[in-house]
């Protein structure tokens, strides 16, 4: 029998103006209706993620500064955690393990409230605050709900009577923190664990090893951190850092107290260049290597043919297992170029002796062997969806990142899945790709799953990759988007409405402000549109939020407050800033605009552009908006493997002096300049006169991301039609890490002047 009686909400008669003093705290009573309404509104506090069941009662309470907190001795860690939170709020709780009847706040366990171990109840009723967990973890979530109610206020804290019955929909609610690309300090990681707990997220997926840095001390292999934790910073210095085993223990204990499980990720067989820089004998070639300084996918991976590699990895994992009590160990398994294995006699010998088909099955062998090792230590293996290729290791859990297909395949084969697709869960992506509403629309269960299959979906994760997000940028990438992830994973799809959620988020900002979270925006603040009016190019700045004030500068001139579309005569560098309700945001939108003869004309294209890189369609190539160095800025049109031919009909014969087409190179993303660009002109659209060929002048090996103009000067020639053809490199060259894969062309504009 549950030891908590359920009472019906009871009526309080405000007009009787009675004062009822309860032990240590007072019933909050208002003296007239208007004040009552105001106070009622004031007490409409939000809990995020949304609770499954919340009923308000008519009672009103004001929390005294000093009061007693009770839990049995075995719940001491929970009691201390709540006490610490209350002290942070300026309160002075007194802890006791006896005489619950004298306490104002009571913590207890009752496994009968639910089968879900994370279920909890929170009652503010009859002069008591009662927190009940199905387990200690559920109790932790009750603590966080109470904490949220208080964090939204200043002293004196007021509470409405309420009964909450709550439990999560998904068991796996995580954040991946990539502390390898950029090192994040121990205290920063702990701060994130506390922020996760505040939002009832229960997994920290700690990405600890990468090409660019090894971040975990391994006593048997000291060079992993002496060498592998540091990379060339490009200015003659070193960049990096690592966590000692003592620090890791501290982080794990801190997380455990808050109900957050820390799942370490030790990447293999790829993303291993930092480890191989320290111990090159475990590569196929023997090295030497440097800790990588660029971002991307690299061909140096662990040798699968040499048994010493597996001994090395098992020794490392043995130390990892001793530090992390997590039943799950993430081993990566993603983005493994097979080039070295194809050319390594030891790896080829392994393929032969093990009777494997190819390098994909060799990868499967590699993962299986590590999986067997983990299974022998009673741990489960998690890997990215590439571990499906060549056969899935027995008992493995798949983390699906390339869309939902990995999850679909895994659950079909009866394997559990964690779902974190690039489309919804990659918080390193900009708001162009993934804004708050997009995250909120995420459903981790792949479409068309049977109920048995759906039950294998453990939940989801937000992935905070840090190539472009050093520690000080992480807050604005993660928040507020993680709030959407927290809610959809906790509350489940049925309960939710985006507009209600968004209202809750506005209230929740007060909490984030108090905790000094430097949250970013909910959506792209300004959309730059161009339109022709009487032959002139006008720029429109569309605000995402009606509370927003938008400012712009043209070519570094004075800052102007935007009210109406403005005209661009030739070329302009726009810099756009904005404020909302007095809060200035760091983000600026930069946009280059070029007015020219083809503006507003829809060109004919000979090729199919990729849906993810459409530039808004064919007219994106004549809208006057030039691309930045970011290929995902919305101005670039991407074509994979084909030549690009673009035809513009100016409508009448016009005098032309200059042609330009803009292309991007970013070879880490397989984007290369065209080998050459050809231009033709025509008056009738049938007979075309060759105008010139512009050859690529840049080195395809050039690592940076940059735009190049393929320009051609004409001598006041008259044409109605202009045709341009860009010749792709076809495939990534021999020296490239993706040698043989199709190369991309990215074009922003065909400029005709
Ligand atoms: Zn090898």
């Amino acid at each position: 029998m549950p030891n908590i009686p359920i009472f019906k909400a009871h009526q309080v008669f405000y007009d009787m103006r009675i004062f009822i003093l309860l032990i240590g705290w007072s019933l909050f009573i208002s003296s007239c209706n208007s004040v009552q309404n105001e106070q009622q509104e004031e007490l409409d506090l939000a809990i995020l993620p949304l609770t499954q069941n919340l009923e308000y009662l008519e009672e009103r309470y004001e929390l005294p500064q000093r009061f007693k907190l009770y839990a049995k001795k075995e719940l001491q860690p929970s009691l201390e955690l709540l006490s610490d939170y209350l002290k942070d709020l300026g309160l002075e709780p007194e802890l006791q393990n006896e005489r619950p009847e004298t306490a104002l706040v009571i913590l207890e366990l009752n496994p009968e409230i639910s089968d879900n171990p994370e279920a909890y109840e929170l009652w503010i009723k009859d002069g008591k605050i009662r927190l009940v967990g199905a387990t200690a973890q559920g109790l932790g979530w009750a603590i966080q709900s109470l904490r949220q109610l208080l964090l939204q206020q200043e002293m004196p804290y007021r509470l409405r009577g309420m009964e909450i019955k709550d439990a999560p929909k998904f068991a796996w609610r995580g954040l991946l923190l990539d502390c390898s690309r950029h090192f994040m300090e121990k205290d920063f990681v702990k701060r994130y664990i506390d922020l996760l707990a505040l939002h009832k997220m229960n997994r920290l997926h700690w990405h600890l090893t990468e090409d660019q840095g090894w971040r975990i001390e391994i006593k048997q292999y000291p060079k992993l951190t002496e060498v592998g934790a540091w990379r060339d910073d490009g200015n003659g210095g070193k960049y990096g850092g690592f966590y000692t085993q003592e620090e890791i223990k501290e982080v794990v204990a801190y997380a455990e107290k808050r109900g957050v499980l820390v799942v370490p990720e030790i990447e293999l067989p790829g993303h291993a260049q930092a480890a191989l820089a320290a111990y090159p004998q475990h590569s196929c070639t023997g090295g030497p290597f440097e800790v990588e300084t660029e971002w991307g996918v690299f061909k140096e991976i662990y040798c699968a043919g040499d048994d010493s590699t597996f001994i090395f990895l098992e020794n490392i994992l043995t130390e990892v297992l001793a530090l992390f009590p997590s039943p799950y160990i993430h081993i990566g398994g993603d983005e493994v170029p097979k080039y070295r294995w194809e050319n390594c006699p030891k790896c080829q010998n392994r393929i032969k002796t093990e009777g494997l088909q190819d390098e994909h099955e060799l990868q499967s062998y590699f993962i299986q062997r590590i999986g067997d090792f983990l299974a022998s230590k009673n741990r489960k293996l998690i890997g990215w969806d590439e571990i499906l290729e060549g056969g899935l290791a027995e008992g493995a859990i798949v983390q699906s990142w390339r869309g939902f297909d990995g999850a679909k395949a895994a659950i079909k084969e009866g394997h559990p899945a964690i779902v974190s697709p690039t489309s919804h869960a990659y918080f390193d992506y900009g708001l162009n790709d993934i804004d708050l509403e997009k995250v909120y629309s995420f459903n981790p269960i792949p479409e068309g799953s049977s109920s048995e299959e759906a039950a294998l979906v453990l939940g989801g994760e937000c992935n905070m990759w840090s190539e472009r997000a050093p520690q000080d940028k992480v807050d604005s990438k993660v928040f507020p988007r993680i709030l959407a992830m927290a809610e959809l994973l906790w509350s489940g799809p049925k309960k939710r409405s985006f507009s209600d959620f968004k209202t809750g988020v506005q209230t929740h900002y007060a909490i984030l402000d108090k905790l000094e979270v430097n949250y970013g925006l909910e959506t792209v603040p300004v959309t730059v549109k161009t339109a022709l009016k009487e032959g002139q190019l006008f720029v429109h700045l569309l605000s995402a939020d009606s509370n927003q004030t938008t400012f712009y500068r043209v070519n570094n001139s004075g800052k102007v407050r935007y009210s109406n579309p403005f005209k661009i005569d030739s070329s302009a560098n726009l810099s756009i800033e904005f404020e909302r309700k007095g809060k200035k945001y760091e983000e600026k939108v930069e946009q280059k605009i070029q007015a020219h003869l083809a503006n507003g004309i829809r060109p004919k294209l000979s090729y199919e552009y990729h849906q993810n890189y459409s530039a808004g369609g064919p007219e994106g190539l004549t809208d006057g908006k030039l691309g930045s160095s970011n290929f995902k800025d919305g101005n670039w049109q991407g074509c994979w493997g084909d030549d690009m031919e673009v035809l513009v009909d100016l409508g009448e014969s016009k005098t032309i002096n200059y042609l330009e087409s803009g292309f991007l190179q970013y070879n880490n993303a397989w984007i290369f300049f065209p080998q050459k660009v050809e231009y033709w002109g025509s008056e009738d659209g049938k007979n075309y006169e060759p105008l010139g060929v512009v050859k690529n002048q840049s080195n395809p090996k050039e690592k940076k991301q940059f735009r190049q103009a393929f320009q051609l000067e004409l001598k006041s020639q008259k044409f109605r039609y202009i045709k341009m053809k860009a010749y792709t490199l076809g495939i990534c060259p021999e020296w490239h890490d993706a040698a043989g894969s199709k190369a991309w062309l990215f074009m922003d504009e065909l400029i005709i002047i």
Side-chain angles (χ1 to χ4, degrees):
M1 198 41 213
N3 54 7
I4 300 130
I6 295 175
F7 300 119
K8 281 195 174 147
H10 59 116
Q11 193 65 41
V12 173
F13 301 98
Y14 289 99
D15 49 354
M16 289 173 67
R17 299 188 184 195
I18 47 167
F19 279 80
I20 302 170
L21 288 173
L22 297 162
I23 307 157
W25 81 329
S26 54
L27 194 60
F28 185 81
I29 295 170
S30 27
S31 53
C32 72
N33 274 337
S34 63
V35 174
Q36 183 188 334
N37 287 340
E38 202 181 294
Q39 278 154 353
Q40 187 145 347
E41 211 164 276
E42 192 186 326
L43 291 176
D44 264 339
L45 304 170
I47 295 178
L48 205 160
L50 185 66
T51 50
Q52 303 286 4
N53 254 301
L54 185 154
E55 264 183 64
Y56 284 114
L57 308 176
E58 292 298 328
E59 303 159 33
R60 298 285 187 284
Y61 298 100
E62 188 176 296
L63 207 51
Q65 185 150 4
R66 306 183 66 164
F67 53 87
K68 289 176 178 166
L69 223 57
Y70 163 84
K72 281 185 187 163
K73 194 86 189 135
E74 63 260 33
L75 292 176
Q76 195 64 16
S78 306
L79 196 64
E80 283 169 13
L81 180 67
L82 176 57
S83 169
D84 288 348
Y85 285 143
L86 294 172
K87 283 181 197 158
D88 286 347
L89 290 157
L91 297 164
E92 295 167 35
E94 196 181 306
L95 310 192
Q96 59 187 40
N97 301 122
E98 281 164 357
R99 295 185 10 101
E101 66 281 1
T102 63
L104 170 59
V105 181
I106 297 168
L107 276 63
E108 58 196 357
L109 295 189
N110 181 1
E112 289 178 42
I113 61 169
S114 169
D115 294 338
N116 188 331
E118 295 189 88
Y120 75 92
E121 295 183 355
L122 171 60
W123 299 12
I124 300 173
K125 186 171 171 176
D126 297 340
K128 300 268 183 192
I129 300 177
R130 207 176 268 270
L131 298 90
V132 187
T135 63
Q137 182 158 34
L139 184 59
W141 303 142
I143 290 171
Q144 297 296 345
S145 282
L146 177 63
R147 183 183 174 208
Q148 282 203 8
L149 293 173
L150 301 175
L151 270 170
Q152 289 166 67
Q153 311 175 48
E154 302 301 329
M155 282 231 265
Y157 299 105
R158 290 164 180 176
L159 291 167
R160 271 174 91 169
M162 63 176 76
E163 296 181 356
I164 294 174
K165 292 179 181 196
D166 204 5
K169 164 85 178 159
F170 290 100
W172 193 286
R173 305 180 304 280
L175 169 72
L176 174 149
L177 211 49
D178 172 6
C179 297
S180 296
R181 265 55 170 263
H182 278 103
F183 180 67
M184 299 175 199
E185 289 155 14
K186 177 197 73 187
D187 286 343
F188 181 83
V189 176
K190 284 167 74 178
R191 171 176 173 269
Y192 257 84
I193 288 167
D194 195 54
L195 287 169
L196 287 178
L198 177 67
H199 300 100
K200 304 191 178 80
M201 300 280 276
N202 62 1
R203 299 285 184 265
L204 177 73
H205 173 171
W206 203 2
H207 191 77
L208 286 166
T209 73
E210 256 306 334
D211 297 310
Q212 296 87 359
W214 183 281
R215 306 285 175 226
I216 170 172
E217 178 191 23
I218 301 293
K219 303 225 181 206
Q220 194 175 343
Y221 301 110
K223 280 194 280 182
L224 283 172
T225 43
E226 285 167 16
V227 175
W230 306 96
R231 65 174 181 252
D232 196 330
D233 71 359
N235 298 310
K238 290 280 175 198
Y239 171 89
F242 66 93
Y243 310 101
T244 64
Q245 295 203 348
E246 284 312 305
E247 288 173 324
I248 287 183
K249 283 182 204 161
E250 182 186 330
V251 168
V252 169
Y254 183 89
E256 196 175 351
K257 194 167 180 181
R258 284 158 181 76
V260 176
L261 185 71
V262 184
V263 179
E265 181 177 358
I266 306 296
E267 276 264 22
L268 53 90
H271 289 288
Q273 199 169 311
L276 293 175
Y279 295 94
Q281 61 268 40
H282 300 303
S283 70
C284 288
T285 64
F289 314 108
E290 302 273 305
V291 178
E292 185 55 58
T293 57
E294 299 287 336
W295 313 128
V297 176
F298 304 95
K299 60 176 176 280
E300 306 306 342
I301 62 177
Y302 292 119
C303 179
D306 198 331
D307 281 337
S308 77
T309 301
F310 291 95
I311 295 165
F312 175 69
L313 290 171
E314 287 174 11
N315 288 340
I316 289 171
L317 286 171
T318 300
E319 291 195 32
V320 170
L321 300 188
L323 294 170
F324 293 93
S326 167
Y328 314 96
I329 304 294
H330 206 302
I331 54 78
D334 59 316
E335 299 182 319
V336 185
K338 306 296 188 298
Y339 180 81
R340 289 296 186 211
W341 287 357
E342 284 162 7
N343 296 289
C344 169
K346 285 184 199 168
C347 286
Q348 290 305 312
N349 188 49
R350 175 85 72 194
I351 289 177
K352 215 180 286 164
T353 55
E354 294 290 330
L356 306 171
Q357 287 284 325
D358 55 14
E359 288 73 20
H360 290 292
E361 289 201 357
L362 183 58
Q363 170 161 349
S364 185
Y365 165 87
F366 201 113
I367 303 292
Q368 181 79 55
R369 195 161 160 177
I370 297 293
D372 289 347
F373 173 77
L374 290 175
S376 77
K377 308 285 176 195
N378 262 324
R379 308 294 181 104
K380 294 190 176 100
L381 175 150
I382 307 176
W384 298 104
D385 54 42
E386 284 94 332
I387 67 168
L388 284 155
E389 293 163 11
L392 198 52
E394 186 64 32
I397 298 167
V398 173
Q399 181 162 10
S400 193
W401 70 282
R402 297 174 300 179
F404 292 82
D405 290 350
K408 251 187 226 174
I411 59 180
K412 213 168 205 114
E413 292 179 33
H415 287 266
I418 298 161
V419 191
S420 56
T422 52
S423 56
H424 294 80
Y426 269 49
F427 286 6
D428 52 324
Y429 287 17
L431 293 167
N432 276 330
D433 295 304
I434 301 176
D435 63 10
L436 188 67
E437 189 165 10
K438 182 78 184 273
V439 180
Y440 204 72
S441 72
F442 173 48
N443 180 358
I445 296 175
E447 250 175 68
S449 305
S450 69
S451 56
E452 290 83 9
E453 287 167 356
L456 287 165
V457 174
L458 301 178
E461 259 183 30
C462 351
N463 292 350
M464 185 59 238
W465 298 109
S466 66
E467 284 95 330
R468 283 159 205 89
Q471 184 174 302
D472 62 335
K473 292 271 182 285
V474 170
D475 273 11
S476 66
K477 293 268 185 192
V478 171
F479 287 91
R481 292 184 286 189
I482 196 174
L483 304 179
M485 189 63 88
E487 181 151 308
L488 74 96
L489 292 174
W490 179 277
S491 313
K494 274 181 206 157
K495 294 268 311 176
R496 300 180 287 118
S497 116
F498 181 68
S499 66
D500 290 350
F501 166 69
K502 215 177 149 186
T503 308
V505 168
Q506 309 315 309
T507 313
H508 196 77
Y509 284 144
I511 294 182
L512 299 183
D513 286 334
K514 194 171 273 182
L515 298 176
E516 297 179 357
V517 176
N518 185 25
Y519 51 91
L521 290 155
E522 292 157 15
T523 185
V524 176
V526 175
T527 310
V528 181
K529 293 264 181 211
T530 57
L532 274 195
K533 198 175 148 193
E534 291 159 6
Q536 296 276 0
L537 190 67
F538 278 79
V539 172
H540 300 241
L541 303 181
L542 310 176
S543 296
D545 190 305
S546 56
N547 292 313
Q548 177 172 309
T549 313
T550 305
F551 303 91
Y552 67 95
R553 297 170 197 271
V554 179
N555 297 331
N556 294 322
S557 61
K559 193 159 93 172
V560 182
R561 186 185 167 138
Y562 177 77
S563 52
N564 289 308
F566 53 93
K567 194 171 73 173
I568 300 291
D569 291 323
S570 54
S571 69
N573 289 310
L574 291 185
S575 174
I576 303 159
E577 298 166 36
F578 49 92
E579 295 177 12
R580 283 183 196 169
K581 295 179 183 166
K583 177 172 157 86
K584 282 185 187 159
Y585 287 81
E586 269 179 48
E587 290 93 333
K588 279 184 191 169
V589 176
E590 308 279 344
Q591 178 66 61
K592 280 189 179 174
I593 305 278
Q594 176 69 55
H596 60 93
L597 294 173
N599 286 148
I601 294 170
R602 183 185 171 92
K604 254 193 195 151
L605 312 182
S606 69
Y607 55 92
E608 274 183 41
Y609 50 81
H610 195 277
Q611 284 308 315
N612 291 357
Y613 311 107
S614 70
E619 38 291 85
L621 297 182
T622 51
D623 62 1
K625 286 163 61 185
L626 306 193
S628 65
S629 59
N630 173 10
F631 68 94
K632 290 190 277 192
D633 71 2
N635 294 318
W636 291 104
Q637 195 174 81
C639 173
W640 200 30
D642 288 328
D643 297 331
M644 295 173 88
E645 197 178 289
V646 180
L647 174 67
V648 169
D649 175 0
L650 295 168
E652 57 184 331
S653 182
K654 290 195 172 164
T655 305
I656 298 170
N657 291 299
Y658 175 83
L659 297 170
E660 172 183 324
S661 28
F663 285 89
L664 184 79
Q665 179 161 303
Y666 179 31
N667 67 21
N668 271 359
W670 312 3
I671 302 169
F672 292 91
F673 288 135
Q675 301 180 59
K676 60 175 180 180
V677 170
E678 283 180 18
Y679 294 101
W680 294 267
S682 171
E683 281 287 38
D684 58 7
K686 286 175 194 143
N687 302 302
Y688 280 88
E689 177 186 332
L691 301 176
V693 180
V694 189
K695 287 197 172 146
N696 176 29
Q697 301 297 331
S698 299
N699 185 347
K701 288 188 178 175
E702 181 79 60
K703 279 285 187 187
K704 62 182 184 186
Q705 311 177 42
F706 62 116
R707 180 186 188 273
Q708 182 171 305
F710 288 71
Q711 307 162 318
L712 187 69
E713 305 272 351
L714 303 183
K715 289 179 185 129
S716 300
Q717 288 160 271
K718 290 192 83 161
F719 296 107
R720 174 174 164 179
Y721 298 89
I722 292 292
K723 190 156 79 179
M724 181 238 55
K725 184 170 181 181
Y727 292 82
T728 172
L729 209 53
I731 54 170
C732 299
E734 191 83 328
W735 50 265
H736 192 267
D737 282 312
S741 298
K742 284 197 281 182
W744 287 89
L745 280 179
F746 267 66
M747 177 177 176
D748 62 348
E749 190 85 358
L750 173 56
I751 300 169
I752 304 174
I753 294 172

